[in-house]
Amino acid sequence: MSEPTARAPVHVRTWTVRLDVFQTGDTTSVHGVLDTGENVLESRSHARRNPRDAAVPEIGDEYAAGRALVDLGHQLLRAGMHDAAASTAPENG
């Protein structure tokens, strides 16, 4: 009978994303914050209603929030690439 395979301990972290949505007239602005517990990334985005479109505030919220989340995602990917490159770079000494 074979030995049971040892399992690595599970590593769990909670990251928090906060989106503050502001509407002024036909413009929606979002301030997005990603807090990893070790780092904080921030993004600001905007959406403006086309005058020919119906005034539906939720649509501006969706566009502005989506843009903020995409920007946070890009920042997170850049941070990961930077950290990966730094961790594999030869040490100067």
Side-chain angles (χ1 to χ4, degrees), residues 3-5 7 10 25 28-29 31 38 40 42 45-46 54 59 61 63 67 70 72 77 81 84-85 89 93:
E3 296 274 328
T5 305
R7 293 184 183 209
V10 176
T28 303
S29 300
H31 176 222
E38 296 175 359
V40 175
E42 294 188 51
S45 65
H46 307 279
I59 295 172
D61 295 354
Y63 274 110
R67 290 172 181 157
V70 166
L72 287 170
L77 288 169
M81 290 185 331

Side-chain angles (χ1 to χ4, degrees), residues 17-30:
V17 176
R18 187 182 77 235
L19 300 175
D20 297 316
V21 181
F22 307 91
Q23 288 200 0
T24 306
D26 290 337
T27 301
T28 303
S29 300
V30 171

Side-chain angles (χ1 to χ4, degrees), residues 72-93:
L72 287 170
H74 287 157
Q75 289 182 51
L76 192 57
L77 288 169
R78 282 192 302 272
M81 290 185 331
H82 178 266
D83 291 347
S87 72
T88 59
E91 291 187 31
N92 295 330

